[in-house]
Amino acid sequence: MEAMEVDSPVELQGIGQPEGGVAAPAGDAENANAALVMSDSGSSTEVDDDDDDDGSAEGQAAAYTPPRLPATWAFSQRAVGGATSTPPIRRRVRQGLRVHYPSQTAAPSRGFPDFLLRAPAASTAEPESGSATEISESEDEAEGEEESTAAAAEPIDPVPPAGSDLSATVQPAQPQEAATTNSSGTAEAERAEAQVQGVQVSSAVLSPSDENEGDTCTICFEAWTTAGEHRLAALRCGHLFGYTCIQRWLKAQSPSAKCPQCNKKAKRSDIVLLYAPKLRALDNTEQESLKKSLEQEQSLRRKAELESAQYKIKLQVVTNKYGQAQQELQELRALITETSRNLFSSTSSSSSHVLSLSQRADGSRSAQYSFSKAVLVSQAGGCRVLSYCEPLSCLLASQPSPHTTLVPGCGVKKVSVVNMRASQYVPIHSKQIRGLSFNRQNDSLLLSAALDNTIKLTSLLTNTVVQTYNAGKPVWSCCWCLDNSNYIYAGLSNGSVLIYDTRDTSTHVQELVPLRSRCPVASLCYVPRAASSSFPCGGLLAGSLEGGCFWEQVNEATYRPHVLPLETSGCTDIQVETESRHCLVTYRPGRSNPSLRCVLMALTRTPQQESSELPSCSCEPVQTFNAGSSCKLLTKNAVFRSPDGGGTLVCAGDEASNSTMVWDASSGGLRQKLPADLPVLDISPFSVNGEHFLASLTEKMLKLYKWE
């Protein structure tokens, strides 16, 4: 510590003199004018007293020997009454701790301390623990006057215990003597208390707190800095120190220097300065362990998902095989029943059967379609084809994009049959859509064909296109293979039919080249295999403007063509009813027939007569239905089982009357005429929750009719 100089006439009371002894006059002590230096753990306090008495005092100083100074030096009072005025005190003060003792009657001053009290080590006592404690104290004027007029106190032990009562006992004495004795006793008591409390404060300051452990150097226990000699530095092992501390540490221990914390070998060149304003290390041990456990869980989850997917595929394969076996069993049972019926039936039984069918038809005349609701699909028009998605219970109508600037092209509009409202538009193609189809897997996968030379598979669960095939030509029609859902068909504008395997995303696997003309394939329908004596085979029925052709599927990769005996011109659409093995062929008006005709034909298969000849497939007309005299659009009609199960219904759009015509296939009579505001382009029957509906699509509207 620095030394403190105090220039002031101070009256000293000898230690160890008997109580009531005569104090030396202030002016007789010549040595009091000299500077007194006291040791304080390496620091000193200098007190310079100026001469303020006359020359007569010098003579008395020679006869009087000043007593030895005590172990501490204290100033606790201002000048007592009757003393000469005190000259200004000259101080050189170092910042220290301010201590307010219990003996003080007033709070310490907020300003600079009036005096500096040190606790040095006297020659008769052991020195303190390496560091000095500086204590500043200020006395009020009232306290000084009170103590100057008090009586002399009893002698006080040099080192009283901390916190003891330091009040002095007042005894009657001379004013000058009492003031001197009181001053000396009070100083001794305060000095002892300050010494004990100062050591406690020093020990508290030197011990680092738990909160600042991460901000202090582990060598000197001082906070490191961001600049200067004690700036933050680190060794290669990662431990942090003050730069000067670790430099001195390594220099003192060289050449076998080690890290003070981990005892790893280190050298001065390993010291790295860290440029961090404030460094705090976060404990992320738990976080890292959680990350590892999360990665393990994710790995196990991926493994479980992979196994689940494999088992799902196996389950699907087994389910498909079971379905095929069950279907074959039903076909065999139906074939046995039909064969036995043909063997034991007679002409009368056939007549009675026809009569029962007619009676059923007559009884079903009471039930018919009634209008349910009309839904606006496209305000601008442009709707073309219609299809029903059974898993989602919604109708899909093709239309141009309602926002051509943002989303150009064409797509489909979802119409929920639960609340009979249009819900979403799904963009798919860039040009007009000509065909929509679903498979029997109920996976909500839509097959669409368009004039942009592509066919696409769209998942209606996510409203996204999952697969695109480029046919190279405009596609007019499409359908699924009902015997194997892995194959799809696309009818092109040049009359060819392309076969795609959904497991092969590159290109088509086979092309069916037309035998006659190269007219566009306007319609495609797949006829599944069935246990029927008249037509058991399965294959693809392709219709063009110049006729139709049945591609019999011999095996998975072989197709045998059979040209159907249809009219050579004017065929606009061919639809199939798979249960009864009938097809509906639509002809537009011509010179020989001025009206629209819908001909119901039964598919037949000629048995093999000789080994060299192959069985042939053909069709025979059963019933003809006539409509209006206009047919400018390639409309799509429908043939399906009657909702009451009593026969077959035929539905076709009539452009002349802007209506939907409903005929009974067994009698050929017109059952209903459902009006529409525009020509009907497509018709789709469907059932929801046991209720049967009929949907007809125009250019803008979708009308729904309920069977009641």
Side-chain angles (χ1 to χ4, degrees):
M1 287 188 176
E2 299 178 4
M4 180 182 72
E5 298 179 3
V6 181
D7 297 338
S8 173
V10 181
E11 297 176 2
L12 302 177
Q13 174 69 30
I15 306 299
Q17 291 183 0
E19 183 179 357
V22 178
D28 294 341
E30 181 180 1
N31 293 335
N33 298 331
L36 300 180
V37 180
M38 292 173 290
S39 175
D40 186 8
S41 301
S43 64
S44 63
T45 303
E46 297 180 2
V47 181
D48 298 336
D49 295 338
D50 296 337
D51 295 335
D52 56 354
D53 296 334
D54 52 3
S56 62
E58 297 177 358
Q60 298 177 3
Y64 175 74
T65 302
R68 186 176 181 179
L69 291 175
T72 53
W73 180 261
F75 298 94
S76 63
Q77 302 250 358
R78 298 183 182 274
V80 298
T84 59
S85 61
T86 304
I89 298 175
R90 183 172 67 254
R91 307 181 185 91
R92 184 165 67 251
V93 182
R94 178 181 169 183
Q95 293 183 356
L97 297 176
R98 298 180 183 179
V99 179
H100 180 235
Y101 296 103
S103 62
Q104 292 179 330
T105 59
S109 173
R110 293 181 178 271
F112 196 81
D114 293 339
F115 57 87
L116 184 66
L117 177 62
R118 297 179 184 272
S123 60
T124 59
E126 291 297 328
E128 297 290 334
S129 58
S131 64
T133 303
E134 300 177 1
I135 302 175
S136 62
E137 177 185 14
S138 69
E139 300 284 346
D140 293 341
E141 290 295 331
E143 183 180 358
E145 294 176 1
E146 180 181 354
E147 292 181 353
S148 64
T149 59
E154 293 182 0
I156 303 174
D157 294 337
V159 185
S164 63
D165 189 7
L166 300 180
S167 62
T169 304
V170 181
Q171 296 180 359
Q174 295 296 329
Q176 182 72 17
E177 180 181 357
T180 307
T181 305
N182 187 26
S183 175
S184 176
T186 305
E188 287 293 330
E190 293 179 354
R191 192 274 312 166
E193 183 178 0
Q195 184 176 2
V196 176
Q197 294 182 358
V199 174
Q200 296 176 357
V201 173
S202 299
S203 61
V205 171
L206 290 177
S207 61
S209 62
D210 294 338
E211 296 180 356
N212 298 330
E213 283 188 6
D215 299 337
T216 58
C217 173
T218 56
I219 298 177
C220 66
F221 296 105
E222 295 290 338
W224 51 56
T225 60
T226 58
E229 295 182 354
H230 201 258
R231 67 185 303 169
L232 184 61
L235 294 177
R236 295 183 64 182
C237 59
H239 292 108
L240 305 178
F241 310 95
Y243 178 70
T244 54
C245 294
I246 190 60
Q247 192 176 26
R248 287 197 298 266
W249 177 280
L250 298 179
K251 184 176 181 181
Q253 292 189 352
S254 61
S256 60
K258 296 181 180 180
C259 174
Q261 290 191 359
C262 64
N263 287 333
K264 288 187 178 180
K265 291 185 179 180
K267 51 186 178 180
R268 298 178 64 183
S269 60
D270 296 339
I271 302 175
V272 179
L273 296 178
L274 301 180
Y275 299 90
K278 190 170 184 180
L279 181 65
R280 287 192 180 275
L282 298 178
D283 186 6
N284 62 341
T285 306
E286 184 177 359
Q287 183 179 0
E288 291 297 328
S289 63
L290 290 177
K291 283 184 179 179
K292 290 182 179 179
S293 62
L294 178 61
E295 291 177 357
Q296 293 177 357
E297 291 295 333
Q298 290 178 348
S299 177
L300 294 176
R301 183 188 179 112
R302 287 192 294 267
K303 185 178 180 181
E305 289 178 352
L306 181 60
E307 293 179 355
S308 176
Q310 292 176 353
Y311 286 127
K312 284 182 180 180
I313 294 175
K314 294 179 180 179
L315 177 62
Q316 185 177 0
V317 172
V318 173
T319 304
N320 292 338
K321 291 182 178 179
Y322 173 75
Q324 292 177 0
Q326 190 175 12
Q327 184 178 0
E328 291 177 359
L329 178 60
Q330 292 178 356
E331 291 175 356
L332 291 175
R333 288 177 178 176
L335 182 59
I336 293 173
T337 304
E338 186 177 357
T339 304
S340 62
R341 184 184 303 171
N342 292 333
L343 291 176
F344 299 101
S345 62
S346 60
T347 307
S348 60
S349 63
S350 300
S351 302
S352 62
H353 181 66
V354 173
L355 181 59
S356 64
L357 290 177
S358 62
Q359 289 176 355
R360 287 182 183 179
D362 294 338
S364 62
R365 288 176 183 174
S366 60
Q368 60 182 4
Y369 286 105
S370 61
F371 176 75
S372 177
K373 192 172 183 180
V375 180
L376 178 64
V377 179
S378 175
Q379 185 68 36
C383 299
R384 184 67 187 177
V385 290
L386 182 67
S387 185
Y388 176 69
C389 179
E390 185 176 356
L392 299 181
S393 298
C394 66
L395 288 166
L396 299 173
S398 67
Q399 69 165 94
S401 174
H403 306 286
T404 55
T405 56
L406 299 177
V407 186
C410 297
V412 294
K413 175 68 70 68
K414 288 183 178 181
V415 179
S416 175
V417 297
V418 178
N419 54 11
M420 302 299 179
R421 291 183 181 179
S423 56
Q424 287 178 312
Y425 169 77
V426 182
I428 301 177
H429 291 275
S430 59
K431 292 184 179 181
Q432 186 184 52
I433 298 176
R434 299 302 299 266
L436 298 175
S437 179
F438 287 96
N439 59 12
R440 291 182 175 180
Q441 299 297 320
N442 294 331
D443 53 4
S444 302
L445 202 60
L446 174 65
L447 174 64
S448 59
L451 299 180
D452 58 357
N453 302 348
T454 62
I455 59 173
K456 295 186 178 182
L457 294 175
T458 305
S459 175
L460 297 181
L461 298 176
T462 59
N463 294 336
T464 55
V465 177
V466 297
Q467 183 60 42
T468 301
Y469 296 98
N470 191 351
K473 300 286 183 180
V475 186
W476 280 55
S477 57
C478 64
C479 71
W480 289 83
C481 177
L482 300 181
D483 290 329
N484 189 347
S485 60
N486 292 323
Y487 294 96
I488 56 178
Y489 304 95
L492 306 184
S493 59
N494 60 355
S496 299
V497 177
L498 298 182
I499 304 174
Y500 292 91
D501 189 349
T502 56
R503 296 165 294 186
D504 184 4
T505 60
S506 58
T507 183
H508 60 276
V509 296
Q510 192 174 354
E511 181 179 1
L512 305 179
V513 181
L515 300 179
R516 294 182 179 177
S517 63
R518 293 281 182 172
C519 292
V521 180
S523 61
L524 276 179
C525 295
Y526 189 85
V527 181
R529 293 186 179 91
S532 174
S533 59
S534 60
F535 197 80
C537 58
L540 184 66
L541 185 60
S544 65
L545 296 177
E546 295 184 358
C549 180
F550 178 74
W551 294 88
E552 179 186 0
Q553 187 177 12
V554 180
N555 52 48
E556 188 174 345
T558 304
Y559 290 85
R560 184 183 300 124
H562 301 274
V563 178
L564 299 179
L566 304 179
E567 297 181 7
T568 57
S569 62
C571 179
T572 60
D573 182 58
I574 298 178
Q575 299 294 328
V576 174
E577 206 288 307
T578 58
E579 293 185 9
S580 62
R581 322 297 283 182
H582 285 76
C583 65
L584 181 67
V585 182
T586 304
Y587 296 99
R588 64 174 50 178
R591 294 181 180 178
S592 57
N593 295 295
S595 62
L596 177 69
R597 291 175 299 138
C598 296
V599 181
L600 183 64
M601 295 186 175
L603 296 175
T604 59
R605 177 185 174 91
T606 304
Q608 185 176 359
Q609 301 293 337
E610 298 180 2
S611 59
S612 59
E613 295 181 0
L614 296 176
S616 61
C617 297
S618 182
C619 60
E620 296 177 356
V622 176
Q623 197 70 258
T624 302
F625 311 96
N626 295 320
S629 59
S630 176
C631 184
K632 297 180 180 179
L633 302 174
L634 296 178
T635 61
K636 292 185 177 295
N637 302 322
V639 52
F640 54 94
R641 303 291 293 182
S642 177
D644 57 7
T648 303
L649 297 181
V650 174
C651 294
D654 183 16
E655 294 185 15
S657 60
N658 289 340
S659 62
T660 302
M661 313 291 286
V662 181
W663 291 282
D664 186 1
S666 59
S667 62
L670 180 63
R671 296 192 59 175
Q672 280 185 275
K673 189 173 183 180
L674 307 175
D677 53 347
L678 292 173
V680 177
L681 301 175
D682 201 350
I683 299 171
S684 177
F686 63 94
S687 61
V688 180
N689 298 328
E691 297 180 345
H692 299 273
F693 294 88
L694 182 68
S696 63
L697 178 67
T698 64
E699 229 182 317
K700 297 181 179 181
M701 300 290 296
L702 177 65
K703 288 195 173 184
L704 300 174
Y705 302 91
K706 184 177 180 181
W707 180 265
E708 294 178 345

